[in-house]
């Protein structure tokens, strides 16, 4: 599909068929439904929508499945990856994970960095080790500025030339939907700021270092960063010992 109007109509119809959504927490049902519909139209297995992906305030607004959520968590831990690079460079960025994964994607021009090796190596442990998985991100633009990134994962059909073009149309279609959800997401950002503040008080670290410690412990304990933030705020998890794993945050 290459016609913009037809593609947007297909997106609207897919969202209408998807029902009210099953999102929880700060993920608005409309955003989840758009994300799922975009993934389906691109032939992907799942998708994530990451707001402010290239900045310290990044957060995952929606992840349609566990793999999408884990890839988003991994990128947050590494501090670099397809979503952050797509937002920074204003174009699609991707890679292939698993058996037979090539080197630098052929469609990337020399001035656009490929997905960082650290992300690619760790992400191999997130996806099915028996199959090649394509991961691809597009910047979500509002008034010409990248405010988020749409990242999909799945088989080769989600990384064809046609899918690359369709993905940018769909990503930009998500932009207006984020204007309203940004208000709802304020609570997520405020929660992170409070949790980081408690970490700073417990460890004496600078805020950026406290964020890195939070991400690292979440990855080590295999829990979402948001869940660990909640455990810190509820005082079920402490970093007073320097961040060594304590009781699980559940």
């Amino acid at each position: 599909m290459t016609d913009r109007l037809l593609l947007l109509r297909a997106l609207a119809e897919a969202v209408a068929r998807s029902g009210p959504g099953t999102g929880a927490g700060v993920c608005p049902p409309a955003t989840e439904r758009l994300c799922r519909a975009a993934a389906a139209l691109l032939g992907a297995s799942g998708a994530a929508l990451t707001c402010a992906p290239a900045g310290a305030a990044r957060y995952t607004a929606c992840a349609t499945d566990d793999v999408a959520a884990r890839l988003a968590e991994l990128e947050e831990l590494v501090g670099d990856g397809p979503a952050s690079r797509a937002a920074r460079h204003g174009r699609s960025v991707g890679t292939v994970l698993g058996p037979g994964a090539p080197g630098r994607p052929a469609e990337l021009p020399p001035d656009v960095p490929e997905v960082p090796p650290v992300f690619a190596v760790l992400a191999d442990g997130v996806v099915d080790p028996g199959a090649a998985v394509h991961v691809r991100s597009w910047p979500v633009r509002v008034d010409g500025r990248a405010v988020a990134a749409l990242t999909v994962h799945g088989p080769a059909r989600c990384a064809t030339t046609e899918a690359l073009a369709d993905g940018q149309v769909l990503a930009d279609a998500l932009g207006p939907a984020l204007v309203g959800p940004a208000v709802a997401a304020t609570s997520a950002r405020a929660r992170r700021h409070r949790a980081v503040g408690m970490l700073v008080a417990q460890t004496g670290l600078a805020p950026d270092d406290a964020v890195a410690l939070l991400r690292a412990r979440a990855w080590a304990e295999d829990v979402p960063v948001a869940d660990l933030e909640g455990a810190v705020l509820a005082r079920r998890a402490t970093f007073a010992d320097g961040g060594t794993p304590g009781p699980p945050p559940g």
Side-chain angles (χ1 to χ4, degrees):
M1 186 180 297
T2 55
D3 185 285
R4 179 182 177 86
L5 291 180
L6 287 178
L7 186 58
L8 293 178
R9 176 180 293 179
L11 177 65
E13 291 173 349
V15 170
R17 290 195 302 269
S18 66
T22 58
V26 300
C27 178
T31 304
E32 181 194 6
R33 291 158 66 191
L34 280 165
C35 201
R36 289 185 180 279
L41 289 170
L42 291 170
S45 302
L49 188 61
T50 307
C51 294
R58 65 172 288 149
Y59 64 95
T60 302
C62 181
T64 66
D65 65 320
D66 184 62
V67 171
R70 293 291 286 159
L71 289 173
E73 290 277 355
L74 173 58
E75 182 164 342
E76 186 170 4
L77 171 67
V78 173
D80 197 3
S84 58
R85 294 197 178 200
R88 260 198 320 265
H89 297 287
R91 57 158 291 133
S92 181
V93 174
T95 191
V96 182
L97 307 172
R104 181 180 180 83
E107 78 278 0
L108 288 181
D111 60 331
V112 176
E114 60 184 305
V115 171
V118 173
F119 174 86
V121 169
L122 293 178
D124 272 342
V126 174
V127 301
D128 181 355
V133 176
H134 290 251
V135 179
R136 171 67 53 177
S137 293
W138 292 265
V140 175
R141 301 174 298 201
V142 174
D143 295 330
R145 181 173 62 91
V147 298
L150 171 67
T151 303
V152 303
H153 66 88
R157 65 176 178 270
C158 67
T160 63
T161 300
E162 184 178 54
L164 290 177
D166 289 352
Q168 191 58 67
V169 174
L170 294 171
D172 287 338
L174 299 181
L178 290 175
V179 175
V183 176
T186 299
S187 60
R189 293 195 296 272
R191 179 185 61 198
R192 170 158 299 186
H193 290 159
R194 293 196 304 272
V196 169
M198 290 182 67
L199 264 62
V200 168
Q202 291 173 10
T203 65
L205 293 172
D208 286 350
D209 293 334
V211 170
L213 181 61
L214 182 75
R215 292 170 178 169
R217 177 162 167 179
W219 180 260
E221 297 184 356
D222 196 23
V223 297
V225 175
D227 288 357
L228 184 55
E229 290 168 356
V232 169
L233 293 174
R235 303 183 187 280
R236 297 194 308 272
T238 178
F239 286 70
D241 56 359
T244 56

